[in-house]
Amino acid sequence: MTRVLAYSDESIAEAARLIAAGQPVAVPTETVYGLAGDATSDASVAAIYAAKGRPSFNPLIVHVRDLAHARTLAVFDADAEKLAAAHWPGPLTLVLPVRGDAGLAKAVTAGLPTVAIRVPAHRAMQSLLAATGKPLAAPSANASGGISPTRAEHVLRSLGGRIPMAIDDGATSGGIESTIVAVGDGQVRLLRPGPVVIDDAVANSKAKIEAPGQLAAHYAPAKRLRIDAQTANVDEWHIGFGSIPGDATLSATGSLSEAASRLFDMLHQADTQHRPRIAIAPVPDTGIGMAINDRLRRAAVGSGGRA
């Protein structure tokens, strides 16, 4: 049974106790709910992978309280320092060379010479980092490949009975996972689009997995998803956007930030409807719309739909 406790000093203390005992706990961040465990403990990281059914070649993002802590885990060059100063705390993950004395569990980096790291802005994750005194590995709190959770009930739908506890602090504000960039050799490469748009980032040129969220099939609903759908077929539940109302909408006003915050919640809602398939209206591929479409393309592939 998975207990759900409202955010409080007491629930944070209980979550810290469970993490110290090697058990992962679901906790909200400003992006999505994460499944947090001690990033320095092989057993804790293994428990995260087991609960999610996550492939071992897919690395984890490590969350830390501040830039000073991040510097003890990764090597920062001038570009990384500039990005951290501009966007932390916040939804930007930096992939940097891991320090030899970082003390991280090997599975966190999936054997890579780099570590994905960020400083979250959400009060619950920051409180948990303070209570544990540890860097926390925290992928999204859902079964691997499924829809990311933006509410505690989404966590229960996916991981109920597989983890001991979830902290409920309402819906997440961002609704979509962090931007991920790799920094090094005088270059900033975009590995995963997200809420933070880095204008001078170049497109990722490497086919191998370097960071979370790069699998071709990911974020998928249980039902088949069709994207860029101006209209819906009779067996499809239609998620609208802007002038296309649908059965429910990402944003009636065409706001991309609202669409991002509602994306995964809408996919969860669509999965519970009586119609066997899902269709979603086109979303402009600009700004954060690039991140929305990145998630939708991977979700469509994962569901067996047409990307």
Side-chain angles (χ1 to χ4, degrees), residues 49 55-60 105-114 209:
Y49 276 98
S56 61
F57 59 78
N58 199 3
L60 304 177
K106 291 188 181 302
V108 166
T109 61
L112 298 171
T114 54
I209 299 296

Side-chain angles (χ1 to χ4, degrees), residues 269-292:
Q269 185 177 339
D271 246 355
T272 67
Q273 303 302 312
H274 67 279
R275 283 172 234 165
R277 298 172 186 263
I278 306 167
I280 191 162
V283 175
D285 204 33
T286 59
I288 198 173
M290 294 175 62
I292 295 170

Side-chain angles (χ1 to χ4, degrees), residues 163-202:
I163 60 174
M165 178 183 165
I167 294 174
D168 186 354
D169 199 20
T172 62
S173 58
I176 200 166
E177 299 88 351
S178 62
T179 302
I180 303 179
V181 294
V183 185
D185 299 323
Q187 192 177 63
V188 177
R189 289 185 297 113
L190 180 65
L191 302 185
R192 181 178 73 184
V196 176
V197 177
I198 308 297
D199 291 331
D200 56 353
V202 299

Side-chain angles (χ1 to χ4, degrees), residues 38-141:
D38 181 357
T40 68
S41 164
D42 290 329
S44 290
V45 173
I48 293 173
Y49 276 98
K52 284 179 62 65
R54 186 182 180 92
S56 61
F57 59 78
N58 199 3
L60 304 177
I61 293 176
V62 176
H63 297 69
V64 294
R65 289 195 70 186
D66 51 32
L67 177 56
H69 192 182
R71 291 192 188 108
T72 70
L73 304 178
V75 179
F76 282 71
D77 64 10
D79 287 331
E81 289 279 354
K82 181 180 178 181
L83 287 167
H87 300 290
W88 281 357
L92 176 67
T93 295
L94 301 178
V95 175
L96 303 170
V98 64
R99 291 179 61 94
D101 58 353
L104 296 171
K106 291 188 181 302
V108 166
T109 61
L112 298 171
T114 54
V115 61
I117 193 165
R118 85 175 181 101
V119 176
H122 197 283
R123 65 176 184 174
M125 181 59 97
Q126 277 287 341
S127 295
L128 190 56
L129 286 163
T132 61
K134 299 284 188 177
L136 297 177
S140 57

